[in-house]
Amino acid sequence: MSEVDTARPESAYRPAEGYFDELFAADGSPRPHARALAAALDELGPSQLVDAGRRRDTIFVQQGITFDTTGEDGPSVERPFPLDLVPRILPASEWTHIKRGLAQRIRALNRFVDDVYHSREIVRAGVIPWRLVVSRSHFARAAHGIRPPGGVYCHVAGCDLVRDVDGSWKVLEDNVRTPSGISYVLENRVAMTRLLPGLFNKYRVRPVDHYPQLLLAALRSVAPAAEGEATVVVWTPGVLNSAYFEHAFLARQMGVELVEASDLVVRDDVVYMRTTDGLQRVHAIYRRLDDDFIDPLEFRPDSVLGVPGLMRAYRAGTVALTNAVGTGVADDKAIYHYVPQMIRFYLNEEPLLDNVKTYLMSDPDLMQAALKRMDELVFKPTGESGGKGVFIGPATDPTTLAGLGDVIRRSPDKWIAQELVRLSTMPTADGGGRLVPRHVDLRPFAVFGETISIVPGGLSRVAMIEGSMIVNSSRGGGSKDTWVLEDGEDRSDDTAPARPESLPPALPDLRYGAWTGQQQQQQQQCSPA
Amino acid sequence: MLARIAQELFWLGRNLARAEHTARLLEGVFQADLQGRPEGQASATTLSWESLMHIMGGRRDREVSDGRDAVLDALTHDPDNPASVVACVTRAREGASAVRDVISAEMWEAINTTHLRLHGDDFVPRDHTGHYDIYQHVRERSALFWGLTGRTMLRDEASAFLLAGGRIEAGDMVLRMLRVALPDLPDGNQADAQALALLQAVGGFQAYRRAVPAPAHAKPVARFLLFERNYPDSVAAAVDAVNESLRTADSHPRASEPILRLSRLSADLEFRRSAETDADLRVTCHEVQRELGRVDADIAQRYFGGARAA
């Protein structure tokens, strides 16, 4: 398409060299599914994009769609959730592949959690050492022997995916404790339809707004109550939590109460909430706290966010918790290394989605090899999430790396090293509305109720700083709307009715008041009676 | 009070309510239309644009194609289409002029400003924003007007007619939407998606979530919008509100045809609420709408000196 090349203006988007760009091929021409979008963006131009960005910020601030960020020196600042207006587009076939891979992975993780707290088959088979499992910071002894309804533990899962330079998808990390971000997915979509509805004209994008219904159905399905009688609540640590917006959002969308610890009480191994009408029984809790804080009688005794006696009720089966207690053992980064083997062991299948090549520092040989290549690898503490404590070798100065080496040598069990993935990039609007490449990842959200349902797309997180690969919102990352296209992607002409036309019933005409006043100058066109 | 003034107030309420509900409906359908089908659904998800024109009543006298943009234009800011949002606001403002001595200064100003801004340059429709700004403007200003009515207007006959007009129009609009959006109750997915779009359009989603444990499928949504008295914009609530307003206005409520009819309609809705059969819902909508039409005729007959609605 050399004609296009020479005709392209100076300001045309140039993908970053050596990385896979989601929307543009290496020669700068848009990928087939992105052509219409590229054209629309061209037409829009930088100034309109900036304009739309300002309106977006106003809307988000007004509606309180915010996220707390960790400032350089620690204190958090509430700011409007950053949404970049250029959406990511995933063709239907691509999504099918991702969906299947994720469902497979989640099933395996779920079996693992069940296994670890019961018969430990996978340990007996010698696949994973017990010492490793039991030493994970989120392994919960209290969960031993408890089996929630249907054997489902990971009701809500968010596995982070990245696309490597060859275009293949890899799982970067699993999140099966309290993955967050779905509220932003939903709000981002609403914002996009308000700010840039013209962009949707050429695509048929799968909607995402059914997530709260999925979650509610899943919660109801695990609740120990008769059909239609289950009381479900969302349990938040409180207003000061950085993801509070999401807790309130989901509670509102599902139409259930948003409770804090002080609202809940356990009597006779049953959980109740304090209402104006007395104590009302609670059957299922969507909890957004880590295990450590949920019950001071069994976990951290200093937790003021917990409900004493909750574990007793949980054991007695009178209340369901999602996610179940103890799932943290599955999203530990050292355990992540074994997930492909889990898939083979429990499901007898080959993994559809690959891991990123990972080295356990608890293995002395691997540790030696990794410490020799500190400036090439990524080092992650096993028990954290949200990008906390991650060191990207090539971007870290030698002194810090040396210090990190010491830390790792002292407690190798708590660290892993990974090969650096050359994250894919996407056109992102800079301050002046011009499109520049920035690295992105993808966090789809899955609900495991009776079946596994995955919301089309998910949160595409983008690193706002040039060259940076840290995309977490708590570290200043932004987000993008993610479009999964329906099969047969191109939107057919609006005039051709794609729907079966059922004739609407004949409605009475609208009525209009008869005017007699002389001051009425306008001639009203009244539809005849 | 003067029959003419009562009629002006009544229609002021109606026109404003019509503008607001039309704006909400268009916004909701527009939002739903932008996106495709949820996973696993065989059929399309939204009110068709042709259906929208039908909601506004009968045949079309002008050549309006069914494309989305044409319908949006026709129903949003076409001053020659009496059903358009802008035309409704204009009529409301003209009605308000006629009753400036009766409504408070703040109420007049609220309407006037609404009207003026719509005709100014603020709402040049830009392709990439659609008409969202207009809808939001109308929604907000309507809320302002009714809020001011509740705060600053004496609760007498005048306000009674104003409120009656607003509520009867609201009831009629919701019925129209129900009848068009849910023609094939209880037909599976298509009706369900339309029900959700409809619910969000009228702004009742959160209320529905809190009131009804069932998911937002066609039948429970239709029942909610018809029968739930605790939801202010339901048909049952509208009927009660009109009834109550007229009782305030009428010196002899027991002899008043519209009041008697409304009381009977209200009781009838309660009866129908307890009946379970699905097929009845369509019939219910049809019959209730017809009855509301008769109420409207009765009101004109009794209070406005027989000035019939055109």
Side-chain angles (χ1 to χ4, degrees), chain A residues 48 55 99 189 193-195 197 201 205 207 220 253 486 491 508-509 511-513 522 524-525, chain B residues 11 18 27 31 33 35-37 39 59 62 68 91 94 128-129 132 176 179 209 213 296 310:
Chain A
Q48 301 229 45
R55 274 180 288 128
K99 211 172 46 160
R189 176 61 57 87
T193 56
R194 291 229 197 289
L195 293 165
N201 269 338
V205 181
R220 288 215 178 107
Q253 292 287 312
E486 286 181 3
R491 184 147 225 181
D509 290 336
R511 291 158 169 270
Y512 300 90
Q522 199 170 331
Q524 277 302 293
Q525 279 183 31
Chain B
W11 280 98
R18 188 174 299 172
E27 189 179 343
Q31 289 297 321
D33 188 55
Q35 302 179 73
R37 302 184 297 261
E39 286 197 28
R59 83 228 73 59
R62 53 191 55 74
R68 182 187 75 196
R91 284 199 306 276
E94 282 162 1
H128 54 280
T129 55
Y132 172 63
R176 278 172 194 274
R179 289 186 67 195
R209 277 265 139 257
D296 186 46

Side-chain angles (χ1 to χ4, degrees), chain A residues 316-333:
Chain A
T318 58
V319 72
L321 292 178
T322 59
N323 289 342
V325 178
T327 53
V329 68
D331 67 14
D332 185 282
K333 295 197 180 34

Side-chain angles (χ1 to χ4, degrees), chain B residues 24 123 129 155 159 296:
Chain B
R24 281 182 178 275
F123 298 107
T129 55
R155 288 190 199 150
S159 67
D296 186 46

